[in-house]
């Protein structure tokens, strides 16, 4: 997404409280006047702060995408079926209806119409939705003749986005950010109802976490070593591997249900799911797992970290009955 020629066309602010705490919803009846200084801060702060491939999401709904409220309202606006003020009020009402958890903070909701964005081929419009929950304290220096006074001021820092979304016309894609992270997933899950769009990097991290988890669930250290060897052999032999291949390897050592649960848990953590045909860069996966797959549990609560390329082939354990334990490890260099 190219934002170099973007402009702030319209802006409106609503105040959204928390229903559980008895806080109200205050809807503005008109758009704000935006001067060049405010526009510049919004473009450099809010807009640039939310546009990133790492923040790319996609609207979804379990049965019909048009039943996703934010997607539906914004499509109506982009089709000229709703005016700017009306769509901003509907977005604010939807956010208020979803602000049911006691930990959700009240805040100012900015709805902004941006123009002049580009996907590289055509100019696009977008609606920005930003919620500011934290006010910063500032010191203002006031000049009066030859005297300088200092005054305290409280305001919003547009470079620190609490929650934000940039909704593109003609696309279910949305750039979204939530500084609250796991503690305030309602912004992504309940308000926007959006899932992260996976890229090669995030997909590799997600599947690597699954491999690490499943490796730890293999109790027998020699079986664990076999699992690691087989996985790394596939990584070394192919440029890409699929999530289906990862599942097939893991199911030889742990149950199919365990594999499925591990992928489901990772999907919840990372905000997206992968089908069995999803392709992953194999060498990237091996590099990510290089350190964790070099660690072997050898029983008795003992783990060893082996050099890269060395695998565990056998363990001999001798207990002399007087509290002394001898462990002999047979190691092998991977080809």
């Amino acid at each position: 997404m190219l934002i170099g020629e973007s402009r702030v066309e319209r802006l409106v602010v609503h105040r959204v409280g928390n229903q559980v705490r008895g806080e109200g919803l205050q809807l503005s009846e008109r758009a704000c006047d935006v001067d060049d200084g405010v526009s510049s801060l919004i473009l450099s702060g809010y807009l640039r702060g939310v546009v990133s491939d790492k923040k790319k999401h996609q609207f979804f709904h379990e049965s019909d995408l048009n039943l996703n409220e934010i997607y539906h309202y914004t499509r109506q606006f982009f089709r000229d079926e709703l005016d700017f003020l009306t769509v901003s009020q509907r977005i604010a009402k939807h956010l208020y209806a979803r602000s049911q958890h006691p930990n959700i903070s009240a805040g100012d909701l900015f709805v902004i119409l941006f123009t002049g964005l580009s996907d590289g081929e055509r100019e696009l419009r977008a609606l920005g939705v930003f919620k500011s929950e934290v006010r910063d304290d500032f010191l203002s220096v006031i000049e009066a003749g030859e005297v300088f006074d200092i005054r305290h001021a409280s305001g919003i820092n547009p470079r620190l986005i609490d929650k934000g979304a940039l909704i593109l016309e003609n696309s279910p894609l949305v750039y979204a950010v939530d500084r609250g992270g796991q503690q305030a997933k309602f912004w992504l899950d309940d308000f926007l109802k959006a899932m992260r769009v996976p890229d090669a990097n995030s997909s590799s991290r997600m599947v690597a976490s699954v491999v690490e988890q499943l490796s730890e669930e293999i109790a027998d250290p020699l079986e664990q070593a076999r699992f690691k060897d087989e996985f790394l052999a596939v990584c070394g032999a192919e440029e890409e591997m699929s999530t289906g291949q990862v599942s097939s390897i893991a199911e030889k050592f742990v149950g199919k249900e365990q594999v499925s649960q591990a992928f489901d848990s990772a999907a919840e953590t990372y905000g997206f799911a992968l089908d069995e045909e999803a392709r992953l860069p194999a060498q990237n996966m091996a590099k990510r797992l290089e350190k964790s797959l070099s660690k072997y549990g050898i029983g008795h609560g003992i783990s060893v970290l082996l050099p890269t390329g060395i695998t565990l082939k056998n363990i001999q354990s001798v207990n002399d009955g007087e509290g002394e334990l001898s462990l002999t490890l047979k190691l092998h260099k991977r080809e």
Side-chain angles (χ1 to χ4, degrees):
M1 178 60 59
L2 304 175
I3 61 177
E5 301 298 323
S6 54
R7 301 175 299 278
V8 175
E9 290 290 333
R10 304 288 301 280
L11 184 154
V12 67
V13 183
H14 305 294
R15 184 153 293 168
V16 182
N18 185 311
Q19 287 198 60
V20 176
R21 297 200 296 263
E23 298 166 347
L25 170 66
Q26 296 175 259
L27 297 176
S28 177
E29 293 300 327
R30 68 172 182 85
C32 304
D33 295 326
V34 181
D35 60 25
D36 290 343
V38 171
S39 178
S40 178
L41 282 173
I42 288 171
L43 292 172
S44 63
Y46 284 154
L47 185 58
R48 292 188 182 278
V50 76
V51 176
S52 165
D53 284 344
K54 294 180 180 179
K55 298 166 185 172
K56 190 181 290 185
H57 293 68
Q58 183 167 325
F59 287 117
F60 77 95
H61 191 275
E62 292 81 357
S63 57
D64 183 347
L65 184 58
N66 289 307
L67 297 177
N68 180 306
E69 287 91 340
I70 298 299
Y71 179 78
H72 178 61
Y73 297 152
T74 54
R75 290 317 103 182
Q76 287 182 305
F77 169 74
F78 288 126
R79 292 195 301 262
D80 296 323
E81 296 170 8
L82 293 178
D83 62 36
F84 176 70
L85 184 62
T86 301
V87 74
S88 75
Q89 291 175 341
R90 291 192 181 183
I91 290 171
K93 289 176 182 177
H94 177 63
L95 177 59
Y96 186 64
R98 293 295 181 268
S99 299
Q100 298 286 342
H101 193 281
N103 289 343
I104 298 173
S105 300
D108 295 316
L109 184 72
F110 292 69
V111 181
I112 307 166
L113 173 60
F114 295 101
T115 58
L117 290 86
S118 172
D119 61 3
E121 297 180 358
R122 56 183 173 171
E123 188 171 298
L124 299 173
R125 296 178 296 165
L127 278 175
V129 182
F130 302 91
K131 186 185 178 192
S132 176
E133 299 174 341
V134 178
R135 287 184 171 268
D136 284 343
D137 292 323
F138 301 94
L139 293 177
S140 298
V141 178
I142 301 172
E143 181 180 358
E146 297 181 357
V147 177
F148 294 92
D149 285 328
I150 292 180
R151 296 285 186 272
H152 167 266
S154 176
I156 297 166
N157 186 343
R159 291 182 175 84
L160 294 177
I161 301 173
D162 294 311
K163 294 173 174 59
L166 185 73
I167 302 158
L168 308 177
E169 66 174 325
N170 302 323
S171 173
L173 290 178
V174 53
Y175 293 92
V177 59
D178 181 355
R179 273 183 28 182
Q182 295 297 319
Q183 297 177 355
K185 290 183 67 177
F186 91 98
W187 181 258
L188 290 172
D189 293 352
D190 300 329
F191 171 59
L192 293 173
K193 212 168 184 64
M195 294 184 66
R196 185 174 175 186
V197 175
D199 55 21
N201 191 41
S202 59
S203 298
S204 295
R205 280 205 314 273
M206 187 254 231
V207 175
S209 72
V210 170
V211 173
E212 287 179 336
Q213 178 185 332
L214 294 175
S215 175
E216 291 173 359
E217 292 176 3
I218 302 172
D220 186 324
L222 297 182
E223 285 293 285
Q224 186 186 83
R226 284 185 53 224
F227 166 70
K228 294 176 180 179
D229 289 346
E230 187 165 340
F231 176 79
L232 291 174
V234 174
C235 289
E238 303 180 18
E239 289 188 5
E240 289 185 328
M241 66 188 308
S242 68
T243 53
Q245 282 178 286
V246 176
S247 296
S248 296
I249 294 170
E251 286 169 12
K252 298 177 184 178
F253 302 89
V254 298
K256 187 172 184 177
E257 187 174 342
Q258 275 181 271
V259 177
S260 179
Q261 287 175 350
F263 272 103
D264 289 345
S265 176
E268 175 132 2
T269 299
Y270 283 83
F272 61 85
L274 296 173
D275 60 37
E276 289 198 344
E277 301 303 317
R279 308 300 296 177
L280 307 163
Q283 292 186 3
N284 184 293
M285 289 280 294
K287 188 173 182 180
R288 285 184 181 280
L289 290 163
E290 184 176 17
K291 185 174 181 180
S292 63
L293 294 192
S294 294
K295 184 179 179 181
Y296 293 81
I298 56 175
H300 311 283
I302 301 171
S303 296
V304 295
L305 188 64
L306 300 181
T308 301
I310 301 297
T311 186
L312 181 66
K313 297 305 288 185
N314 198 7
I315 304 172
Q316 289 185 339
S317 175
V318 178
N319 192 328
D320 67 357
E322 297 181 359
E324 186 172 304
L325 176 70
S326 298
L327 293 172
T328 304
L329 308 182
K330 184 177 181 180
L331 308 179
H332 179 73
K333 188 174 182 178
R334 292 192 186 97
E335 296 181 0

